[in-house]
Amino acid sequence: MSVLLNALQAGNRSGTGAYTQALARRLPGLAPDVNVDVRILWPRNLPPPDLTNAGVDADTWRRIAFLVDSGSGWKRLGLDQVGVMSAARKMGARLIHYPANVGRVWRPGGTVVTVHDLSFFRNPDWFPADRAAYYRWAVWRTVPGARRVIADSCATAEDLMSFLRIPEERIDVVYLGVDERFEPAGEEAQAEARRRYALPERFFLYYGTLEPRKTLPRLIRAW
């Protein structure tokens, strides 16, 4: 079976971009174990992912990657909805994985969609009104018709059942993994980081986007 990973989100510097990059890096190396032929739709202007310890070499990755100009705005939207289908036909892929909440509006049955959260349903005031309205419309049109839905938390799975009425048996909860680079650093590496960034002995690091839904005031109060 051939599967196309829509990795156009890989250039996004938020969590969904990191998730997409990790899938593009790891899935090809795991595919032979489950008898799946993985292909990847990848932004042309983005370097390939770091394949260290990925279980696949650079030549293999280049062979299975289909490079496109991802663009932005309406061009990106059209590519997500039409261009991805065209690439899937050329590659003979029978299934398309959309890794960032929104799938395919037309004939969504041949897709798997990962939904990270439904905050635009639960707390729409956290977003600009037009963006929240688009997300709600797009998710309503694409996720319920997908062949399978992946949620990366039980809370999101419950929201999928509550807001979108998706049956529990069509949802797979797959927790996010942890990359090897997040292993505890050695004393020498820690000392070098402290010197480079002039860090005190004790400090607090937040690594994420600046959005209301991140509840940063609560994080600061806790600290």
Side-chain angles (χ1 to χ4, degrees):
M1 181 178 180
S2 183
V3 175
L4 174 63
L5 170 65
N6 175 18
L8 299 180
Q9 185 73 3
N12 190 306
R13 298 183 66 185
S14 69
T16 55
Y19 174 77
T20 303
Q21 286 244 7
L23 289 179
R25 175 177 175 245
R26 284 290 192 176
L27 284 180
L30 298 173
D33 295 338
V34 291
N35 196 28
V36 172
D37 182 21
V38 173
R39 303 297 177 91
I40 299 169
L41 192 65
W42 188 260
R44 190 185 307 276
N45 64 333
L46 194 69
D50 178 12
L51 299 177
T52 305
N53 300 322
V56 62
D57 57 40
D59 289 340
T60 300
W61 198 92
R62 282 192 292 268
R63 178 178 58 80
I64 65 175
F66 187 76
L67 304 181
V68 296
D69 297 317
S70 57
S72 60
W74 288 106
K75 180 180 179 181
R76 167 64 186 279
L77 185 62
L79 185 58
D80 268 333
Q81 295 299 323
V82 180
V84 174
M85 291 180 61
S86 176
R89 284 195 295 268
K90 289 179 181 178
M91 298 178 180
R94 297 176 56 192
L95 193 67
I96 304 173
H97 183 186
Y98 285 81
N101 295 336
V102 176
R104 191 172 68 198
V105 174
W106 182 54
R107 293 173 57 191
T111 64
V112 171
V113 182
T114 296
V115 178
H116 299 275
D117 67 74
L118 292 178
S119 53
F120 36 86
F121 280 100
R122 183 172 288 281
N123 297 97
D125 56 315
W126 287 350
F127 301 85
D130 56 346
R131 185 180 301 180
Y134 166 74
Y135 283 151
R136 290 195 299 271
W137 175 85
V139 168
W140 260 118
R141 291 294 303 271
T142 62
V143 175
R147 187 178 300 180
R148 302 293 297 182
V149 182
I150 296 173
D152 53 26
S153 72
C154 291
T156 295
E158 292 173 0
D159 282 349
L160 286 165
M161 291 183 278
S162 174
F163 290 106
L164 302 183
R165 302 291 188 267
I166 297 178
E168 183 177 6
E169 59 270 18
R170 289 184 49 227
I171 302 172
D172 297 291
V173 177
V174 182
Y175 301 115
L176 300 178
V178 180
D179 195 271
E180 297 93 340
R181 64 194 177 98
F182 292 109
E183 292 179 349
E187 291 184 3
E188 184 176 338
Q190 292 182 41
E192 172 58 27
R194 290 184 188 280
R195 285 193 298 270
R196 182 183 305 172
Y197 301 110
L199 295 173
E201 182 64 27
R202 298 179 72 240
F203 63 93
F204 188 90
L205 172 67
Y206 167 75
Y207 185 76
T209 55
L210 299 177
E211 300 175 85
R213 63 197 183 104
K214 302 300 183 180
T215 61
L216 293 181
R218 181 177 298 175
L219 185 66
I220 294 171
R221 287 197 299 270
W223 171 248

